[in-house]
Amino acid sequence: MKVPPPPSGKVELPVALSLALLADMLRIRRMEEKCAELYGEGKIRGFLHLYIGEEAVAAGAMRALAPEDNIVATYREHGHALLRGVSMDRIMAEMYGKREGCSGGRGGSMHLFDAAARFYGGNAIVGGGLPLAAGLALAAKLKKESRITACFFGEGAVAEGAFHESMNLAQLWRLPVAYFCENNLYAMGTALERSESQTDLCAKAASYGMATLKADGMDVAAVHKTAQRAREHVATKGPVFVEFQTYRFRAHSMFDPELYRDKGEVEAWKERGPLHTFSARLKAQGDLTEGRFLELDRAAQAEVDKAVAFAEAGTREPAEDLAKDVTTPS
Amino acid sequence: MKVPPPPSGKVELPVALSLALLADMLRIRRMEEKCAELYGEGKIRGFLHLYIGEEAVAAGAMRALAPEDNIVATYREHGHALLRGVSMDRIMAEMYGKREGCSGGRGGSMHLFDAAARFYGGNAIVGGGLPLAAGLALAAKLKKESRITACFFGEGAVAEGAFHESMNLAQLWRLPVAYFCENNLYAMGTALERSESQTDLCAKAASYGMATLKADGMDVAAVHKTAQRAREHVATKGPVFVEFQTYRFRAHSMFDPELYRDKGEVEAWKERGPLHTFSARLKAQGDLTEGRFLELDRAAQAEVDKAVAFAEAGTREPAEDLAKDVTTPS
Amino acid sequence: MSAISYREALRLALDEALEKDERVFLMGEDVGRYGGTYAVSKGLLEKYGSERVRDTPLSELGFVGAGIGAALGGMRPIVEVMTVNFSLLALDQIVNTAALLRHMSGGQFSVPLVVRMATGAGRQLAAQHSHSLEGWYAHIPGIRIVAPATVEDARGMLGAALADPDPVLVFEYPALFETKGEASGGKVDIASSKVRREGSRVTLVTYGGCLPKAMQAAEQVDGEVIDLRVLRPLDMAPVVGSLKKTRRAVVVDEGWRSGGLAAEVMARIMEQAFYELDAPVARVCSEEVPVPYAKHLEEAALPQTEKIVAAAQGLFA
Amino acid sequence: MSAISYREALRLALDEALEKDERVFLMGEDVGRYGGTYAVSKGLLEKYGSERVRDTPLSELGFVGAGIGAALGGMRPIVEVMTVNFSLLALDQIVNTAALLRHMSGGQFSVPLVVRMATGAGRQLAAQHSHSLEGWYAHIPGIRIVAPATVEDARGMLGAALADPDPVLVFEYPALFETKGEASGGKVDIASSKVRREGSRVTLVTYGGCLPKAMQAAEQVDGEVIDLRVLRPLDMAPVVGSLKKTRRAVVVDEGWRSGGLAAEVMARIMEQAFYELDAPVARVCSEEVPVPYAKHLEEAALPQTEKIVAAAQGLFA
Ligand SMILES: Cc1ncc(C[n+]2csc(CCOP(=O)(O)OP(=O)(O)O)c2C)c(N)n1
Ligand SMILES: Cc1ncc(C[n+]2csc(CCOP(=O)(O)OP(=O)(O)O)c2C)c(N)n1
Ligand SMILES: [Mg+2]
Ligand SMILES: [Mg+2]
């Protein structure tokens, strides 16, 4: 597969927004780099799926959504949770398995949740979130609420029956749901062309009669504008499917020996990295100085340090409370 | 929905073949009319799904297939089994629950099977046969056999995840399988436009990159030619999806009060009935006389009478043998 | 108060639920225009419209998942999966999402979802349409499983299920649809087992479609019949109580013998009432075969009154 | 003969199966290029090519169904469903097709399919990745369920499963993947339970990932350990035999307590060895909660050596 040239050209966004998007991406990046480190130290366990390389998608999309909207995500959702407003403290504490975590330590990396942020997880079954999102959208429609539901998922999920059934229900019932497909070209070690007879994902979505959009997922500005159009479409017309073309720089999870792709491909994609290409463009057009960049980076780093301290200081839920929250106390 | 005009025009088939197709349809029709009667008498029980009105599909398709091909069907499969060469005696005995039945009385109407005919059932889970057919085709491909697998299913199955996953696997792996969709416009009481956001089923299939064909399922000649083209395509190029547009004249099953469609629609479709329109066309072009028709009809009727006698005379498997065939005796 | 059928009771319950609470809606295959496979929802589309009595495509995984989402979104969906046989297609959403969500989210998200489905054999529908898997579902923490066996419960359990903040699976028994009985319309609990017949020689523990068979058997063996009603969480108190008196029990369950709900009841008796027993508890379950079509074979495969009587008598041999 | 790991034994078994019989092929998610989620199939793609070590899309229902079809078509497919958690998506094909087909067709079609999947908790993978549902599958007639708990069985059971004309589900235990042991390469049966340790005070019945825990506990309580190995059909003879000696038993099972396989073992003991018992059989199972992420909570949720010891000692209280 040919790697497209890096995102370039003028960033047509207000400076403040550009800087905010940059800061968002930095916050994810620094947080996850720390997570990788903590995993090495055994402070974080279980599966850990890093989003490194893909930050532009969550960053660009999340700022296009409204506070009343619902979010559904996958096991690769640290970035989405963070940018949706779940504090880094609570995310980090969750990865530590502490009761101060955003899921009380019960969920871990793959199951971040936050009711206040309308962040519905954190789903470790590939494709599992898609019907859920349709249902959240159905509820909003029946209740005549203006919120939309945004559902993030990987391109691997497209092969699942759940994708098919959800797309059909969403379009048939004209549900206010945006399906945001993060196409990073691989599902674990399986490349898109070895899992889909039709690799044009928008063509697949269009076969349900659904509106589709596509954007360079390494370009946060392009993502943001596309997500805005998507939200507008959903709010006024009906469901939409958006393909964000992206790439993960790290292994699938901490267990992945990465036998299925060569270093050269990864390096080529890194040229397209959302952080440095966006920074460079902003600098080129005078919207960002190196000093400002370092400031943002330091802030992100400080947030990470604080989050780690918070998590370290967190407490363990007593084992006697194990059975709590299996069902709702009456 | 507008009902198209009845099939008309010259039948471009050898006379012998035309008469054979007519005889095939008559055999199904007479057999099933008898089944309905027997159901009324309590001789047949459980679910009984009649194919009346749709006979042209099984008739036209089955004669396009080779003896080595595999067949997978649904619970509405009496016609398919019969035309594939399962004797009417054994079909009828099966509906009676007799050990002489083609499934030893264990399957009943929904589960006709015949190993010799490579007839793999008789599946009462909507969509359940589609992955199975892909697998049979995969085996043939791996074994470099020339057989294809033909999978019959209703348009209701298109909404199932099993459809999606099977279409993708079939096309991705270029499996020698023909998906024959019998679009009779209803899945029980649910009209196609209330179950699919995209009602053009060929467009759906094409979204997997699969070749598609479409034919008037009330015109046995059109079905036959299309099925021949389909088989040729599968044998030489890869999988194919065919939509046969048809209609069932009877209720979904013997329990259906038919609240969901009006009599007028059913009557309009009956104008398109495969038996009388085909007979009329053959007569018009001098390929069929009323005498010949009556002869064929009497033969079919005689076959039915014989089958009923066979079933009546059949024996009951002793209850002590209940656990037989749960697993393979070693 | 006059007698109505089990089917009418189910319909009445749906009607009342839709009437009472705007958040309630019914969705599933053929619940609307067709009138429900078993005619349970007949007339409701006309009364409540197609938004609230919503026909779905054949997409069990999709619409059960959508039901979970709608519940999270503030609605009170009643999702009908036509029969337990097809629910296997939706199992992932039921187990991996509905049942786990509250715990996984640290108690943030309850899923007030009701899933209804028909279950059981006995009408010659053969192997793929005759499963009794409610005992299977009863293995899963985070969901409640109810099995109305009387007209009163058929009427009352739905309302109780809707009032539950967590997912409830309601298993309905086509074998009982023509049964007549009184339905007070009063509240019923979905927490307790109930003694349906007093007796002194042997305790017959059962639920759902086997209840009438157990009642008939009880006549012949002076049995005390306990209807479990709620399969998860199990209420064993009446069983243990009865055993103090009878000291013998037969568990009757239409699920296949190995690993069916009957096994769990036996295990609980082992744990909670071992010293009360004068004989090992026996079970009458379905034989370990896919349910065959032929009538006499199907009958041989399922629990029957005579088998229950024989098992009860066997305890005194 | 030198010790190899459980993982190596699984790989060896696959390698030998592919080597020996042309009809055998392996298919599943990431079995090829990735090398298998647990590195079990590493190197096999290179050796046998992508037709015989076939990566699939994320389509559990589809490729398990395709495996059934391929088996019917004369192949000997080994289908890997990465973990039991995802097998719920394929359950319809396993239960409604693979398990029923032979009976439903009056004995015409056997399905010589092997489905492998990883199962169990213990690695902080949280609720959706920690199920132990092999006991659930053991409820279904028409399929055989095997649970290799030793390196020898990890190596030998696959070949035996492939030789079985009917569907066999092989449950593999990541918790045991690093275990070392001898693997003779000789034939093993997939029909019998085995005594893994002799003892005289109490019988500990278990299988799969709990075997090492039961073995440890046995040291402390003079336990006789029985590894069920095959969960369907169950071979109770060694259990009953052992009970004649010990008169007490604890069943250890990582499934949730209610309705787990342990319940079935207890029910069978009730039926077959009631009069041998000096105390009610106890069970140590997973607590009835979705498995939590936090390490100490996960540990509290699962069976542990100390709990087994305590349960065994409790039988003498
Ligand atoms: C139903 C299901 N099958 C398999 C898995 C194991 N698995 C976890 S992530 C993954 C790949 C998913 O790829 P994709 O959807 O593209 O998302 P990405 O990881 O690339 O973000 C697989 C196979 C799973 N979690 N759920
Ligand atoms: C998975 C599943 N869901 C529901 C049913 C109940 N059911 C049986 S036939 C049917 C309609 C199928 O319609 P279609 O596929 O169009 O076939 P037709 O009956 O029209 O031939 C339904 C809903 C089933 N058998 N299997
Ligand atoms: Mg991906
Ligand atoms: Mg149809």
Side-chain angles (χ1 to χ4, degrees):
Chain A
M1 221 208 111
K2 249 193 70 54
V3 179
S8 62
K10 183 149 171 33
V11 175
E12 311 262 12
L13 294 176
V15 182
L17 177 57
S18 288
L19 294 183
L21 291 168
L22 179 60
D24 285 349
M25 294 195 290
L26 273 168
R27 292 172 67 218
I28 303 179
R29 179 69 60 95
R30 297 300 171 239
M31 174 176 76
E32 290 208 315
E33 285 168 345
K34 187 68 191 179
C35 288
E37 208 181 300
L38 292 165
Y39 199 92
E41 295 170 22
K43 302 262 184 177
I44 299 177
R45 295 280 78 186
F47 280 151
L48 181 72
H49 304 88
L50 299 178
Y51 196 55
I52 288 177
E54 308 186 35
E55 297 92 339
V57 181
M62 220 51 91
R63 280 193 189 264
L65 299 172
E68 71 265 24
D69 293 346
N70 302 315
I71 317 292
V72 175
T74 71
Y75 48 86
R76 198 182 296 288
E77 88 291 29
H78 312 149
H80 308 78
L82 181 70
L83 300 191
R84 183 57 187 183
V86 186
S87 76
M88 202 186 286
D89 289 359
R90 294 177 62 225
I91 292 173
M92 200 60 87
E94 186 59 35
M95 304 227 208
Y96 269 71
K98 298 290 176 74
R99 92 210 291 186
E100 291 78 7
C102 62
S103 305
R106 311 236 160 192
S109 156
M110 302 199 288
H111 303 296
L112 306 177
F113 285 90
D114 191 52
R118 304 192 77 88
F119 191 79
Y120 290 91
N123 196 316
I125 301 299
V126 171
L130 280 78
L132 204 74
L136 281 160
L138 175 59
K141 184 172 175 147
L142 291 171
K143 295 170 81 182
K144 303 197 180 5
E145 296 170 338
S146 63
R147 69 177 99 251
I148 78 152
T149 297
C151 178
F152 294 85
F153 61 103
E155 89 296 339
V158 172
E160 290 282 4
F163 169 82
H164 175 69
E165 298 184 6
S166 302
M167 295 297 281
N168 184 41
L169 288 181
Q171 183 63 23
L172 183 68
W173 294 342
R174 301 291 188 278
L175 302 178
V177 55
Y179 283 113
F180 286 156
C181 181
E182 304 182 307
N183 178 5
N184 63 7
L185 300 176
Y186 292 91
M188 286 188 59
T190 303
L192 180 60
E193 67 272 17
R194 285 187 298 109
S195 72
E196 288 295 337
S197 59
Q198 164 61 276
T199 54
D200 179 346
L201 302 178
C202 284
K204 292 189 80 74
S207 74
Y208 301 88
M210 196 177 289
T212 66
L213 292 167
K214 192 181 299 206
D216 181 351
M218 304 307 263
D219 178 349
V220 71
V223 169
H224 184 64
K225 284 186 188 158
T226 307
Q228 278 183 317
R229 283 177 55 203
R231 191 185 185 288
E232 177 64 22
H233 184 97
V234 173
T236 54
K237 299 208 182 76
V240 71
F241 172 91
V242 188
E243 177 188 353
F244 295 111
Q245 301 174 309
T246 182
Y247 198 82
R248 73 173 148 71
F249 293 168
R250 299 287 185 110
H252 167 73
S253 74
M254 306 308 281
F255 294 109
D256 170 10
E258 285 189 85
L259 305 170
Y260 48 84
R261 61 182 186 182
D262 56 46
K263 290 235 162 55
E265 181 183 292
V266 181
E267 290 313 312
W269 272 93
K270 282 189 180 166
E271 300 286 307
R272 315 191 70 245
L275 269 167
H276 71 84
T277 58
F278 192 59
S279 308
R281 288 161 71 196
L282 293 180
K283 283 180 187 166
Q285 69 193 58
D287 288 350
L288 177 71
T289 61
E290 182 62 14
R292 186 79 177 102
F293 178 86
L294 289 175
E295 225 171 78
L296 295 176
D297 199 18
R298 269 193 302 269
Q301 198 54 63
E303 191 179 1
V304 172
D305 294 343
K306 178 172 153 291
V308 172
F310 180 84
E312 289 279 352
T315 58
R316 283 173 29 150
E317 178 149 32
E320 304 80 72
D321 289 345
L322 178 64
K324 211 184 68 181
D325 290 328
V326 177
T327 54
T328 309
S330 50
Chain B
M1 220 212 110
K2 248 194 68 57
V3 179
S8 63
K10 182 146 170 34
V11 176
E12 309 263 12
L13 295 176
V15 182
L17 177 57
S18 289
L19 295 182
L21 290 169
L22 179 60
D24 285 348
M25 295 195 289
L26 273 168
R27 291 172 68 218
I28 303 179
R29 179 69 60 95
R30 297 301 171 240
M31 174 176 75
E32 291 208 315
E33 285 168 345
K34 187 70 192 177
C35 289
E37 208 182 299
L38 292 165
Y39 200 92
E41 295 170 21
K43 302 262 185 179
I44 299 176
R45 294 280 79 186
F47 280 152
L48 181 72
H49 304 89
L50 299 179
Y51 196 54
I52 288 176
E54 308 184 37
E55 297 92 339
V57 180
M62 220 49 91
R63 279 192 190 264
L65 298 172
E68 71 266 23
D69 293 346
N70 301 315
I71 317 291
V72 174
T74 71
Y75 49 86
R76 196 182 298 287
E77 88 290 30
H78 312 149
H80 308 78
L82 181 70
L83 300 191
R84 183 57 186 182
V86 186
S87 76
M88 202 185 285
D89 289 359
R90 293 178 62 225
I91 293 174
M92 200 60 87
E94 186 58 36
M95 304 225 208
Y96 269 70
K98 298 291 176 76
R99 94 209 290 187
E100 291 78 7
C102 61
S103 304
R106 310 237 160 191
S109 156
M110 302 200 288
H111 303 296
L112 306 177
F113 285 90
D114 191 53
R118 303 192 78 88
F119 192 79
Y120 290 91
N123 196 316
I125 302 298
V126 171
L130 279 77
L132 203 75
L136 280 161
L138 175 59
K141 184 173 174 146
L142 290 171
K143 294 169 82 181
K144 302 195 178 11
E145 295 170 337
S146 63
R147 68 178 100 250
I148 78 151
T149 298
C151 178
F152 294 85
F153 61 103
E155 89 296 339
V158 171
E160 290 281 5
F163 170 83
H164 176 69
E165 298 185 4
S166 302
M167 295 298 279
N168 184 41
L169 289 180
Q171 183 63 22
L172 183 69
W173 294 344
R174 301 292 188 279
L175 303 178
V177 56
Y179 283 112
F180 287 156
C181 181
E182 304 183 308
N183 179 4
N184 63 8
L185 300 176
Y186 291 91
M188 287 188 56
T190 303
L192 180 59
E193 66 272 17
R194 284 186 299 109
S195 71
E196 287 295 337
S197 58
Q198 164 61 276
T199 54
D200 179 346
L201 302 178
C202 284
K204 292 190 79 73
S207 75
Y208 301 87
M210 197 178 288
T212 65
L213 292 167
K214 193 180 296 205
D216 181 349
M218 305 307 262
D219 178 349
V220 71
V223 169
H224 184 65
K225 284 184 188 160
T226 307
Q228 277 183 318
R229 283 177 55 203
R231 191 185 186 287
E232 178 63 23
H233 184 97
V234 172
T236 55
K237 300 207 182 77
V240 72
F241 171 92
V242 188
E243 178 189 352
F244 295 111
Q245 300 172 311
T246 182
Y247 198 83
R248 72 172 148 70
F249 294 168
R250 300 289 185 108
H252 167 74
S253 74
M254 306 308 282
F255 294 108
D256 170 10
E258 286 189 84
L259 305 171
Y260 48 84
R261 61 181 186 183
D262 57 45
K263 290 236 162 55
E265 181 183 293
V266 181
E267 290 314 312
W269 272 93
K270 283 189 179 166
E271 301 286 305
R272 314 189 72 245
L275 269 168
H276 71 85
T277 57
F278 192 58
S279 306
R281 287 161 72 197
L282 293 180
K283 282 181 187 164
Q285 69 193 59
D287 289 349
L288 177 71
T289 60
E290 181 61 15
R292 186 79 177 102
F293 178 86
L294 290 175
E295 224 171 78
L296 295 175
D297 199 18
R298 268 193 301 271
Q301 198 53 65
E303 191 179 1
V304 172
D305 294 343
K306 179 172 152 292
V308 172
F310 180 84
E312 289 279 351
T315 58
R316 284 174 27 150
E317 179 149 32
E320 304 81 71
D321 289 344
L322 177 65
K324 212 183 67 180
D325 291 327
V326 177
T327 54
T328 309
S330 48
Chain C
M1 211 169 59
S2 66
I4 60 171
S5 73
Y6 185 102
R7 175 188 283 109
E8 284 161 342
L10 292 174
R11 178 161 51 230
L12 215 56
L14 285 170
D15 194 352
E16 285 165 358
L18 285 159
E19 184 76 50
K20 205 170 85 179
D21 186 344
E22 278 210 329
R23 298 170 307 170
V24 171
F25 69 102
L26 172 66
M27 93 175 139
E29 290 159 16
D30 290 305
V31 296
R33 299 256 184 338
Y34 190 94
T37 325
Y38 299 103
V40 166
S41 49
K42 203 162 147 185
L44 297 178
L45 170 72
E46 294 68 22
K47 189 159 173 192
Y48 297 102
S50 60
E51 292 273 277
R52 297 190 66 205
V53 178
R54 182 174 289 261
D55 281 321
T56 65
L58 276 147
S59 304
E60 288 81 2
L61 185 68
F63 68 74
V64 169
I68 298 170
L72 286 172
M75 300 297 290
R76 288 292 176 274
I78 303 173
V79 177
E80 175 178 317
V81 178
M82 206 178 271
T83 77
V84 68
N85 311 287
F86 318 141
S87 77
L88 299 188
L89 288 162
L91 203 78
D92 167 67
Q93 285 291 330
I94 297 173
V95 173
N96 279 322
T97 308
L100 305 182
L101 203 67
R102 182 173 167 85
H103 187 257
M104 229 161 46
S105 67
Q108 290 179 82
F109 294 107
S110 298
V111 181
L113 170 73
V114 174
V115 181
R116 299 169 45 234
M117 53 185 114
T119 185
R123 292 164 306 134
Q124 288 191 254
L125 301 183
Q128 290 183 329
H129 275 61
S130 299
H131 295 311
S132 292
L133 292 171
E134 51 272 43
W136 230 28
Y137 280 101
H139 180 50
I140 308 299
I143 51 180
R144 183 180 299 269
I145 310 294
V146 305
T150 64
V151 173
E152 177 79 6
D153 278 349
R155 168 118 185 236
M157 279 183 159
L158 182 71
L162 282 164
D164 191 310
D166 299 312
V168 180
L169 271 52
V170 182
F171 286 88
E172 301 172 354
Y173 294 84
L176 303 177
F177 277 10
E178 308 304 333
T179 312
K180 299 264 180 181
E182 311 266 285
S184 71
K187 278 209 160 52
V188 308
D189 77 271
I190 49 171
S192 69
S193 302
K194 281 203 165 38
V195 177
R196 294 290 184 202
R197 179 190 191 279
E198 302 207 348
S200 58
R201 289 193 80 219
V202 54
T203 303
L204 305 179
V205 185
T206 191
Y207 65 92
C210 288
L211 179 61
K213 296 174 182 177
M215 293 295 273
Q216 278 169 29
E219 296 292 328
Q220 298 174 50
V221 296
D222 187 12
E224 177 140 306
V225 178
I226 293 166
D227 174 7
L228 292 171
R229 299 177 69 248
V230 183
L231 311 187
R232 183 180 188 92
L234 273 181
D235 169 27
M236 289 295 292
V239 177
V240 173
S242 177
L243 274 169
K244 294 215 166 95
K245 175 166 65 173
T246 63
R247 313 192 71 83
R248 287 174 171 82
V250 178
V251 189
V252 183
D253 173 11
E254 198 178 299
W256 288 303
R257 181 177 297 110
S258 293
L261 192 81
E264 178 60 25
V265 173
M266 290 165 80
R268 300 259 183 132
I269 292 175
M270 172 85 85
E271 290 168 336
Q272 299 172 24
F274 181 75
Y275 297 105
E276 313 292 344
L277 295 175
D278 280 353
V281 178
R283 55 182 160 174
V284 176
C285 302
S286 281
E287 300 302 321
E288 313 236 22
V289 297
V291 179
Y293 164 70
K295 189 173 173 37
H296 67 292
L297 294 178
E298 185 184 42
E299 280 171 0
L302 303 179
Q304 305 294 354
T305 302
E306 312 77 66
K307 294 188 199 176
I308 304 169
V309 170
Q313 285 166 345
L315 299 181
F316 295 92
Chain D
M1 213 167 59
S2 66
I4 59 171
S5 73
Y6 184 103
R7 176 189 282 110
E8 284 160 342
L10 292 174
R11 177 159 55 230
L12 215 56
L14 285 170
D15 194 351
E16 285 165 356
L18 285 159
E19 183 76 48
K20 206 169 86 180
D21 186 344
E22 278 210 328
R23 297 170 307 170
V24 170
F25 68 103
L26 172 66
M27 91 175 142
E29 289 158 17
D30 289 305
V31 296
R33 300 257 186 333
Y34 189 95
T37 326
Y38 299 102
V40 167
S41 49
K42 204 162 147 185
L44 297 179
L45 171 71
E46 293 68 21
K47 189 160 172 191
Y48 297 102
S50 60
E51 293 272 277
R52 298 190 66 205
V53 178
R54 181 174 290 261
D55 281 320
T56 65
L58 276 147
S59 304
E60 288 81 2
L61 185 67
F63 68 73
V64 170
I68 299 170
L72 287 171
M75 300 298 290
R76 288 291 176 277
I78 303 172
V79 177
E80 176 178 317
V81 178
M82 206 178 269
T83 76
V84 68
N85 310 287
F86 319 141
S87 77
L88 299 188
L89 289 162
L91 204 78
D92 167 66
Q93 285 291 331
I94 296 173
V95 173
N96 279 322
T97 307
L100 306 181
L101 203 67
R102 184 175 166 83
H103 188 257
M104 230 163 44
S105 67
Q108 289 179 83
F109 294 106
S110 298
V111 182
L113 170 74
V114 174
V115 181
R116 298 169 44 235
M117 54 185 112
T119 185
R123 292 163 307 133
Q124 288 190 254
L125 301 182
Q128 290 183 329
H129 275 60
S130 299
H131 296 312
S132 291
L133 292 171
E134 51 272 44
W136 230 30
Y137 280 101
H139 181 50
I140 307 299
I143 50 180
R144 182 180 299 269
I145 310 294
V146 304
T150 65
V151 173
E152 177 78 7
D153 278 349
R155 168 116 185 237
M157 279 183 158
L158 182 71
L162 282 164
D164 191 310
D166 298 312
V168 180
L169 270 52
V170 182
F171 287 89
E172 300 172 355
Y173 294 84
L176 303 177
F177 277 11
E178 308 304 333
T179 312
K180 298 264 181 181
E182 310 265 287
S184 71
K187 279 209 160 55
V188 307
D189 77 89
I190 48 171
S192 69
S193 302
K194 281 202 168 34
V195 177
R196 294 290 184 202
R197 180 191 191 278
E198 303 205 348
S200 57
R201 288 193 81 220
V202 54
T203 304
L204 305 179
V205 185
T206 191
Y207 66 92
C210 288
L211 179 61
K213 296 174 182 177
M215 294 293 274
Q216 278 169 30
E219 296 292 327
Q220 298 175 49
V221 297
D222 187 12
E224 177 141 307
V225 178
I226 293 166
D227 174 6
L228 292 171
R229 301 178 68 249
V230 183
L231 311 187
R232 182 181 188 93
L234 273 181
D235 169 28
M236 289 295 290
V239 177
V240 173
S242 178
L243 273 169
K244 294 214 165 96
K245 176 168 62 174
T246 63
R247 312 193 71 82
R248 286 174 171 82
V250 178
V251 189
V252 183
D253 174 11
E254 199 178 298
W256 288 302
R257 181 177 296 111
S258 294
L261 192 80
E264 178 60 24
V265 173
M266 290 165 80
R268 299 259 183 132
I269 293 175
M270 172 84 85
E271 290 169 334
Q272 298 172 23
F274 181 74
Y275 297 104
E276 314 291 344
L277 295 175
D278 280 352
V281 178
R283 54 182 160 175
V284 176
C285 302
S286 281
E287 299 303 320
E288 314 238 19
V289 296
V291 179
Y293 165 69
K295 189 173 173 34
H296 68 291
L297 294 178
E298 185 184 42
E299 279 171 1
L302 304 178
Q304 304 294 356
T305 303
E306 313 78 68
K307 295 188 198 175
I308 304 169
V309 170
Q313 285 165 346
L315 299 181
F316 296 92

